[in-house]
């Protein structure tokens, strides 16, 4: 690294994003100058896997012109959170369903299936899996993205998923350290507080992260939550005590910031200042967030350079961050194996897993009434920002919004589908107004629900295997679609 300018080092620690399926000229130039990489979001991937592969090749070629290797990353958790299958829904089970099915071989093969898809697309770092223990059922942003409310269950499935993913040469980024599961706010729009003792953190939140490290996870993502037991003021992404704890646990790979445009990190200070604070705290790779102008990269670079020049950010800390990123990229250069094969029964086993997940949280399936001629009603609610606008549920005949006047409803049984009704009273009130409701399909976290008058099916997150399992149950009760 001798001779590398501070400006180049400041670029190397940044991962930004743009809209659209092709590389804009301004970003091509930044990659040639040393920009650390690109994070892909729905607008980059909606044209399909071939388009993503072409875009990834453009990114690599631009970086190579400057003599660099880029990080190309994406959020591909499976289940509710998918970017490569955002138009159809994920073809693999999500974390909550896998944890409920409790088949470690299936979980490992699911991580492998995701890795093979990413490797084919030219992506080398996956911002997954989620290692948060969803101990708060009212959590608005983790929920079915978590493997379990139980730390031990979450830990063993996080480790299995990491092993499967990294067997394809795609690096895992386990998130959101030190644990976002026991919070009641979304760090995209607020600064959640995890009010737990250090003993509770060690017994619960940290357990899956330790398991991930033992499984060889290549990187860990921070969370924008305040943990008073560690730091009463700064969120984890900007906190030296929080990120120092990660190093104390023996983890030596790159620490990746969650997106710095989120309110939990930058609402009161701006992205460039948050970037400097995060580097000072010990983060190595900074995610700026989706659809950002090149001017933001330049502003962030200038802020980092100014912090080095003033002595606020030691040059050695910046060099250390780049060295960790370079080691990760060197490990990935020869590692990707996009041509590997899945277990021939993987799709069948995924549906079997979905059936088990459904059975663990649903009401008595024999209590579902006759559904001959039934129509599907979606009570539509906005997804959290992490999930985004992706398909969910059975194809609906009728869509209603909580609080809107009810439309004319058919004289037929209604299959009503919702997300997280237990923490959305307005959804429960709407369901109660539907006189023909015969069964409720809860696609979100299966929390306690105050409207028990109809049987409830809980597939524990949306996925295509989960939809197949729900469809089987409904058809056994006479649904003929």
């Amino acid at each position: 690294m001798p001779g590398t300018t501070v400006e180049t080092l400041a670029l190397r620690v940044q991962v930004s994003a743009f809209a659209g399926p092709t590389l804009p000229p301004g970003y091509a130039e930044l990659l040639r100058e040393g920009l650390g990489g690109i994070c892909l979001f729905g607008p980059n991937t909606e044209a399909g896997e071939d388009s993503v592969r072409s875009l990834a090749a453009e990114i690599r070629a631009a970086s190579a012109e400057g003599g660099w290797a880029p990080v190309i990353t994406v959020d591909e958790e499976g289940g509710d959170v998918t970017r490569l299958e955002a138009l159809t829904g994920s073809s693999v089970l999500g974390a909550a369903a896998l944890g409920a099915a409790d088949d470690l071989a299936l979980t490992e093969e699911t991580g492998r299936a995701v890795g093979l898809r990413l490797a084919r697309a030219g992506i080398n770092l996956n911002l997954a899996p989620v290692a948060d223990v969803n101990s708060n059922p009212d959590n608005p942003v983790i929920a079915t993205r978590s493997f379990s409310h139980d730390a031990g269950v979450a830990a063993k499935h996080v480790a299995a998923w990491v092993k499967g993913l990294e067997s394809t040469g795609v690096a895992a980024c386990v998130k959101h350290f030190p644990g976002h599961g026991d919070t009641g706010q979304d760090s995209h729009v607020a600064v959640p507080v995890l009010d737990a003792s250090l003993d509770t953190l060690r017994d619960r939140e940290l357990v899956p992260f330790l398991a991930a490290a033992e499984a060889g996870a290549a990187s860990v993502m921070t969370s924008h939550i305040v943990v008073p037991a560690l730091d009463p003021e700064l969120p984890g992404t900007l906190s030296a005590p929080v990120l120092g704890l990660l190093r104390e646990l023996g983890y030596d790979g790159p620490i990746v910031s969650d997106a710095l445009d989120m309110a939990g990190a930058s609402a009161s200070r701006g992205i460039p200042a948050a970037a400097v604070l995060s580097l000072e705290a010990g983060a190595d790779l900074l995610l700026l967030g989706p659809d950002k102008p090149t001017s933001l990269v330049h502003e962030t670079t200038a802020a980092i350079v100014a912090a080095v020049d003033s002595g606020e950010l030691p040059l050695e800390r910046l060099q250390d961050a780049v060295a960790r990123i370079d080691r990760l990229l060197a490990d990935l250069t020869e590692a990707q194996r996009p041509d590997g094969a899945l277990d021939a029964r993987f799709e069948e086993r995924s549906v079997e897993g979905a059936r088990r997940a459904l059975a663990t949280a649903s009401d008595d399936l024999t209590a579902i009434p006759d559904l001959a001629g039934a129509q599907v009603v979606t009570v539509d609610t906005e997804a959290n920002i992490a999930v985004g606008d992706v398909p969910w549920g059975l194809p609906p005949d009728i869509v209603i919004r909580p609080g809107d006047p009810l439309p004319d409803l058919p004289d037929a049984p209604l299959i009503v589908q919702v997300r997280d009704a237990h923490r959305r009273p307005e959804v429960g009130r709407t369901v109660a107004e539907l006189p023909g409701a015969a069964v409720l399909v809860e696609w979100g976290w299966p929390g306690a629900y105050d409207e028990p008058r109809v049987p409830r099916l809980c597939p524990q997150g949306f996925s295509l295997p989960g939809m197949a399992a729900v469809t089987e149950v409904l058809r056994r009760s006479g649904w003929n679609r």
Side-chain angles (χ1 to χ4, degrees):
M1 202 176 300
T4 305
T5 68
V6 177
E7 287 82 0
T8 300
L9 294 173
L11 277 172
R12 294 298 297 150
V13 298
Q14 296 179 63
V15 172
S16 193
F18 50 82
T22 58
L23 180 64
Y27 268 99
E29 181 59 28
L30 282 172
L31 288 163
R32 285 190 286 270
E33 293 173 358
L35 179 65
I38 300 294
C39 185
L40 303 180
F41 291 87
N44 307 118
T45 63
E46 60 189 12
E49 192 173 302
D50 289 343
S51 175
V52 175
R53 187 181 303 111
S54 296
L55 176 56
E58 288 184 78
I59 293 168
R60 285 195 303 274
S63 290
E65 288 181 31
W68 316 106
V71 170
I72 305 175
T73 189
V74 71
D75 286 281
E76 193 66 31
E77 299 172 13
D80 289 308
V81 177
T82 177
R83 303 292 184 249
L84 295 189
E85 297 184 289
L87 296 182
T88 61
S90 178
S91 60
V92 303
L93 290 173
L98 287 168
D102 204 18
D103 178 344
L104 290 178
L106 175 60
T107 297
E108 183 171 343
E109 192 72 355
T110 299
R112 178 171 168 76
V114 171
L116 288 173
R117 182 179 292 275
L118 296 180
R120 287 196 304 267
I123 293 166
N124 55 16
L125 175 65
N126 189 13
L127 304 177
V130 166
D132 305 309
V133 180
N134 199 63
S135 54
N136 183 349
D138 291 333
N139 194 310
V141 67
I142 302 302
T144 59
R145 300 167 64 201
S146 167
F147 286 99
S148 181
H149 67 281
D150 179 279
V153 173
K156 66 182 182 179
H157 284 278
V158 165
W161 208 96
V162 165
K163 289 177 183 176
L165 176 75
E166 294 195 338
S167 73
T168 68
V170 175
C173 183
V174 182
K175 58 190 184 186
H176 308 80
F177 189 84
H180 204 322
D182 191 17
T183 59
Q185 292 178 297
D186 183 348
S187 53
H188 290 87
V189 297
V191 186
V193 175
L194 175 59
D195 193 11
S197 69
L198 188 56
D199 285 343
T200 298
L201 290 174
R202 293 188 183 280
D203 291 342
R204 187 180 63 189
E205 269 70 25
L206 301 185
V207 174
F209 290 97
L210 284 167
E214 292 171 0
S219 63
V220 174
M221 178 184 283
T222 67
S223 63
H224 307 324
I225 63 172
V226 173
V227 187
L230 297 171
D231 187 333
E233 296 180 0
L234 290 172
T237 300
L238 314 181
S239 169
V242 171
L243 302 190
L245 175 61
L246 183 54
R247 296 299 185 205
E248 290 172 19
L249 295 176
Y251 177 75
D252 193 47
I255 296 175
V256 181
S257 80
D258 205 346
L260 294 178
D261 66 341
M262 294 164 60
S266 61
S268 63
R269 56 182 59 88
I271 293 172
V276 172
L277 287 173
S278 190
L279 285 168
E280 290 176 8
D284 305 300
L285 191 62
L286 308 175
L287 304 183
L288 302 187
D291 193 11
K292 295 293 180 276
T294 55
S295 59
L296 176 62
V297 178
H298 291 297
E299 291 166 13
T300 303
T301 301
I304 295 170
V305 171
V308 172
D309 289 344
S310 70
E312 176 188 355
L313 175 66
L315 176 61
E316 294 77 12
R317 168 76 275 272
L318 184 59
Q319 290 171 327
D320 174 63
V322 174
R324 290 179 192 276
I325 297 164
D326 286 344
R327 285 198 297 271
L328 173 68
L329 288 167
D331 290 343
L332 294 174
T333 299
E334 301 298 329
Q336 287 203 338
R337 291 177 286 279
D339 299 324
L342 289 172
D343 183 320
R345 292 187 60 245
F346 175 65
E347 290 186 16
E348 180 183 346
R349 289 176 56 229
S350 293
V351 176
E352 290 173 358
R355 293 187 191 108
R356 288 196 296 276
L358 190 63
T360 63
S362 300
D363 293 340
D364 182 0
L365 301 185
T366 64
I368 299 174
D370 184 2
L371 296 176
Q375 294 200 23
V376 177
V377 176
T378 293
V379 182
D380 197 22
T381 49
E382 191 171 327
N384 67 58
I385 294 173
V387 172
D389 186 16
V390 295
W392 67 277
L394 304 163
D397 299 297
I398 303 163
V399 178
I400 57 179
R401 295 278 303 179
D404 287 353
L406 294 181
D408 291 335
L409 296 171
D411 184 17
L414 300 180
I415 299 167
V416 184
Q417 53 186 5
V418 299
R419 291 189 292 193
D420 293 332
H422 69 281
R423 64 178 183 84
R424 287 171 158 150
E426 71 279 13
V427 171
R429 288 192 293 268
T430 299
V431 174
E433 294 174 0
L434 299 174
V439 61
L440 184 72
V441 184
E442 170 58 85
W443 292 100
W445 188 260
Y449 182 61
D450 292 333
E451 188 61 41
R453 66 189 181 93
V454 296
R456 189 173 68 147
L457 304 182
C458 298
Q460 308 199 54
F462 179 75
S463 66
L464 299 184
M467 185 166 67
V470 168
T471 299
E472 287 177 1
V473 171
L474 297 176
R475 285 179 175 162
R476 285 202 298 268
S477 294
W479 188 46
N480 51 12
R481 197 174 77 187

